[in-house]
Amino acid sequence: MRNDKFRDPIHGFIEVRPYEKEIIDSAPFQRLRNIKQLALTSYLYHGAEHTRFGHSIGVMHLATRAFRSAVSKGRYQFASGDENDKCIKWLEQILRLVALTHDLGHAPFSHAAEDLFPEKPTKAASEKKKYYKHEDMTEKIIKETEIADIIKKIGDQYKKELGEKYDITPEMICDIYSGRNPGEKSHFTFLKTLMDSELDCDKMDYLLRDSYYCGVTYGKYDIDRLISCLTIFTKDRDEAPYLGIETGGIQAFEAFVLARYFMFVQVYFHRTRRYFDLILSKALKECLPDHCFPIDVNEYLKWDDVKVMSLLREKADSNRYARDVIYRNHWTCVYHTKVHPQSDGFELFSLVKESLKHEFDSRNFKTDFLVDTSADKLPHKIIPQKHEIDEEETIAIWDESKNRVSTISDESKIINSLTEKIDIRRIYCSDKFAAQAKVKIKSLLNDRDDEEEECEDNG
């Protein structure tokens, strides 16, 4: 059977294998055509209409490139003798399936609806409440739909071609992505780092894709150089392999981290985008049956952006949040902190909020002000000045000329300097009180002689 080719605006032609094409053609995967990658960001950046469909195929493509680049260096053997080539072929197919299916469980409008999953059942009344996440729904979709049957067929193919031990199952795909039970096949941890780490292919794709469709340059970096410098490390010969970078790729990795930082500051946490994320969540909480998405897989798969927008149109006359989403009404941001507020910045934010509460009675504040305190993100999760090689807390650097392993913390001042959270906090106000609120805030800041002032809301 011949491979298909998908023409992608970011990566050019992407080869897709026959059984992978079956997954792409399946109903659960086709649903991703109607799940926008960036929720309602198109209200701000009109080109941002791209979906999880293209992203998922792009991640599979990049994961394959990254895997082949790292493996080609020959620094690690997955098995002895002739079995190594078989193992590499098998692992590549597993990785492609993990990458292709990793976003199947996203709710409508992606992360904007992340807090609308139902509560998980608890064993004891004293147990802390836990809620389903999109990763849980991904696992259910992989295991409980036609996707499972296709993956089993791929497993049968590999057992027939390579041997019985080279099976691929839906359970295996889910265990690798979630980091569960690597067991004797500890090289699965290497696959995990390609999909979920500070150097993963998910981030590699969404930065380039989001930047392209938003029409901005913040998310661009040298993808070819970064991938060409990937390699494999182990602490000791018998330990699990994990992803690292050759010394020539340090600057490419720094650019990659900076691209992510700039995209969060300029796009993902833009004040207008954040406002629509907040009100979309509020609208859905009030309009969804049982105030959350269903947990039954077949019912859940019926929900996509199209169905949500249809529901909100029905409720627009009676629900102001739904009305704002449908008619693209957004309140004015009357105050915000700096990107990296210090303790005095948080204190000032609290002071402004309490002053507005006092200025406007509590009823008006509750109905005409919206406070956002959740727009926070670390630029990266690498622990500064951590010099031990650890796949979750740093990035290993291989210097071939010196035959030496170091870490990104040893080599990069840029990475070490990006340690503070992006923690922007905002207050939005309805048009009814916006001008009055701005006057109050300006008076308060002038009295304190603070430089930070109210938002200039330009959309």
Side-chain angles (χ1 to χ4, degrees):
M1 292 187 289
R2 294 175 56 188
N3 292 346
D4 280 275
K5 286 186 178 180
F6 283 58
R7 188 160 195 156
D8 185 78
I10 310 302
H11 307 300
F13 284 108
I14 295 176
E15 284 208 354
V16 175
R17 299 167 186 174
Y19 282 131
E20 295 166 353
K21 178 67 161 46
E22 280 194 34
I23 291 176
I24 292 169
D25 286 340
S26 70
F29 198 93
Q30 288 293 311
R31 169 180 172 269
L32 297 181
R33 290 184 183 273
N34 290 322
I35 305 288
K36 286 186 181 177
Q37 179 82 3
L38 295 181
L40 295 170
T41 302
S42 58
Y43 282 5
L44 177 65
Y45 297 99
H46 68 264
E49 298 279 355
H50 57 304
T51 67
R52 294 276 160 182
F53 181 90
H55 167 66
S56 297
I57 297 171
V59 175
M60 180 180 70
H61 172 71
L62 285 183
T64 306
R65 286 186 61 192
F67 178 85
R68 290 176 178 175
S69 177
V71 168
S72 69
K73 308 298 193 306
R75 299 192 71 246
Y76 180 80
Q77 295 290 304
F78 292 96
S80 58
D82 295 339
E83 289 296 308
N84 191 55
D85 288 341
K86 290 183 179 180
C87 195
I88 287 172
K89 186 175 183 179
W90 177 62
L91 290 172
E92 181 179 295
Q93 180 61 81
I94 292 170
L95 177 63
R96 286 173 65 85
L97 291 173
V98 173
L100 186 63
T101 60
H102 81 284
D103 269 354
L104 282 174
H106 264 294
F109 294 102
S110 299
H111 293 290
E114 189 70 24
D115 61 345
L116 294 167
F117 289 107
E119 184 181 344
K120 289 183 175 181
T122 54
K123 295 179 181 179
S126 59
E127 189 176 340
K128 186 178 178 181
K129 285 184 179 181
K130 293 181 181 179
Y131 293 85
Y132 287 96
K133 297 180 179 179
H134 76 266
E135 291 88 352
D136 299 308
M137 299 309 300
T138 294
E139 183 162 347
K140 287 173 74 67
I141 292 167
I142 290 173
K143 290 180 177 179
E144 299 176 23
T145 69
E146 61 197 277
I147 302 289
D149 296 328
I150 302 170
I151 292 173
K152 288 173 185 175
K153 286 195 289 185
I154 296 172
D156 290 340
Q157 175 191 345
Y158 273 75
K159 284 193 294 181
K160 183 177 180 181
E161 181 181 346
L162 303 179
E164 283 296 316
K165 66 180 180 180
Y166 294 104
D167 194 10
I168 300 174
T169 67
E171 291 75 20
M172 177 190 293
I173 300 303
C174 296
D175 284 351
I176 290 171
Y177 187 59
S178 64
R180 292 191 303 259
N181 305 323
E184 295 179 359
K185 298 181 178 66
S186 59
H187 36 250
F188 286 171
T189 61
F190 170 61
L191 302 187
K192 174 76 162 67
T193 60
L194 284 162
M195 283 302 302
D196 185 17
S197 69
E198 293 308 297
L199 191 53
D200 67 52
C201 299
D202 186 17
K203 297 181 183 71
M204 288 183 194
D205 183 83
Y206 78 61
L207 288 175
L208 294 175
R209 194 170 298 273
D210 293 350
S211 182
Y212 175 85
Y213 281 102
C214 288
V216 301
T217 59
Y218 306 118
K220 293 183 178 180
Y221 61 96
D222 192 344
I223 180 67
D224 295 326
R225 180 60 172 165
L226 182 60
I227 285 180
S228 72
C229 290
L230 296 179
T231 188
I232 303 177
F233 287 92
T234 57
K235 291 181 184 178
D236 298 302
R237 181 173 295 180
D238 296 330
E239 290 198 5
Y242 56 95
L243 196 61
I245 308 173
E246 295 171 321
T247 187
I250 291 173
Q251 285 71 42
F253 178 71
E254 289 173 334
F256 172 63
V257 173
L258 285 171
R260 186 165 177 252
Y261 172 80
F262 292 137
M263 283 295 284
F264 271 100
V265 172
Q266 295 292 333
V267 177
Y268 305 145
F269 288 164
H270 188 283
R271 60 184 175 274
T272 306
R273 180 221 153 96
R274 281 296 303 166
Y275 176 78
F276 281 115
D277 278 357
L278 291 166
I279 63 165
L280 176 63
S281 179
K282 287 178 178 292
L284 284 171
K285 253 176 198 171
E286 294 183 7
C287 296
L288 279 172
D290 300 320
H291 310 293
C292 62
F293 292 111
I295 203 62
D296 176 80
V297 169
N298 294 323
E299 289 301 313
Y300 180 74
L301 287 173
K302 294 176 183 178
W303 286 91
D304 59 17
D305 293 7
V306 175
K307 183 166 182 173
V308 163
M309 291 301 279
S310 178
L311 173 66
L312 296 185
R313 282 191 186 93
E314 291 176 11
K315 304 290 185 179
D317 289 339
S318 58
N319 185 291
R320 76 172 178 85
Y321 296 123
R323 187 163 55 253
D324 282 355
V325 170
I326 294 301
Y327 295 108
R328 296 176 291 108
N329 301 322
H330 69 87
W331 289 0
T332 300
C333 176
V334 293
Y335 184 78
H336 68 92
T337 64
K338 294 179 180 179
V339 174
H340 301 287
Q342 302 301 312
S343 58
D344 57 342
F346 293 125
E347 290 172 6
L348 185 55
F349 179 81
S350 296
L351 177 63
V352 168
K353 184 175 72 172
E354 293 306 314
S355 296
L356 290 175
K357 279 185 179 180
H358 186 265
E359 179 76 9
F360 304 92
D361 63 47
S362 60
R363 182 182 60 80
N364 281 342
F365 189 84
K366 288 177 181 177
T367 57
D368 287 286
F369 288 85
L370 183 63
V371 179
D372 177 16
T373 60
S374 59
D376 63 272
K377 191 80 173 180
L378 283 167
H380 59 75
K381 295 179 183 177
I382 298 167
I383 297 178
Q385 306 305 325
K386 184 174 177 62
H387 303 285
E388 292 182 11
I389 298 172
D390 186 308
E391 73 272 17
E392 291 185 355
E393 296 176 332
T394 191
I395 301 293
I397 306 296
W398 166 245
D399 188 337
E400 186 174 12
S401 64
K402 298 177 182 177
N403 194 30
R404 181 176 71 94
V405 178
S406 59
T407 72
I408 196 67
S409 294
D410 295 313
E411 306 293 340
S412 175
K413 289 185 177 179
I414 290 176
I415 299 301
N416 285 332
S417 66
L418 285 174
T419 58
E420 295 180 14
K421 265 187 176 184
I422 304 165
D423 201 354
I424 309 169
R425 305 190 178 194
R426 297 186 174 101
I427 299 174
Y428 299 88
C429 180
S430 67
D431 292 343
K432 182 178 179 181
F433 295 113
Q436 191 178 343
K438 283 189 173 185
V439 170
K440 175 64 179 177
I441 293 168
K442 192 165 190 175
S443 172
L444 178 66
L445 296 180
N446 287 339
D447 288 345
R448 287 177 52 88
D449 197 28
D450 281 293
E451 294 181 4
E452 193 166 15
E453 295 187 4
E454 72 274 11
C455 281
E456 290 296 324
D457 193 72
N458 298 317

